[in-house]
Amino acid sequence: QVQLVESGGGLVQAGGSLRLSCAASGRTFSMYAMGWFRQAPGKEREFVAAMGWRAGSTYYTDSVKGRFTIARDNTKNTVYLQMSRLKPEDTAVYYCAAGPDSQLRAVTEYDYWGQGTQVTVSS
């Protein structure tokens, strides 16, 4: 069992930065792939970024490449999403998720989810 708690969301102007954190419970955190997803009002939850348990493999959706960076610290059971050059279209509730190290872009592949943190980017 893994419990996930996100933090770091907020209101920021376009062009600004935020760092989201996701703290995980459980001693097996290092064996899970970790992903970030987001859901805007009226839209489906979509993949943002993921990192395999090996930490060397990272994946991003095209719209955030070069602006967002995913990182994990297995000693702190925490995964981060550094977001830079934010745009109004990045506004959404951001969720972290944990799952097996396969099909990392698929919502259905993740077993555990946090409660989400709101990110609002004003123009």
Side-chain angles (χ1 to χ4, degrees):
Q1 190 78 7
V2 177
Q3 292 184 327
L4 304 172
V5 179
E6 302 98 334
S7 61
L11 173 64
V12 63
Q13 289 188 333
S17 299
L18 281 175
R19 187 177 80 158
L20 305 183
S21 300
C22 174
S25 64
R27 293 177 293 176
T28 59
F29 170 78
S30 61
M31 298 303 294
Y32 284 95
M34 298 299 298
W36 286 97
F37 291 77
R38 65 187 180 188
Q39 188 166 17
K43 295 188 177 181
E44 294 187 352
R45 192 168 298 188
E46 66 172 359
F47 170 76
V48 176
M51 174 175 276
W53 68 268
R54 297 173 181 84
S57 53
T58 57
Y59 308 87
Y60 300 93
T61 192
D62 287 345
S63 63
V64 308
K65 284 181 181 177
R67 300 190 298 122
F68 290 12
T69 302
I70 187 171
R72 67 189 296 165
D73 185 340
N74 288 340
T75 66
K76 296 182 179 179
N77 280 12
T78 301
V79 63
Y80 305 97
L81 185 68
Q82 177 67 49
M83 306 186 294
S84 303
R85 290 185 282 142
L86 283 160
K87 303 176 181 180
E89 51 264 43
D90 295 318
T91 295
V93 177
Y94 283 70
Y95 299 89
C96 72
D101 201 343
S102 66
Q103 303 294 328
L104 296 182
R105 298 174 184 270
V107 171
T108 55
E109 288 298 308
Y110 289 82
D111 300 316
Y112 304 103
W113 292 85
Q115 83 288 349
T117 186
Q118 177 71 47
V119 172
T120 302
V121 184
S122 63
S123 57

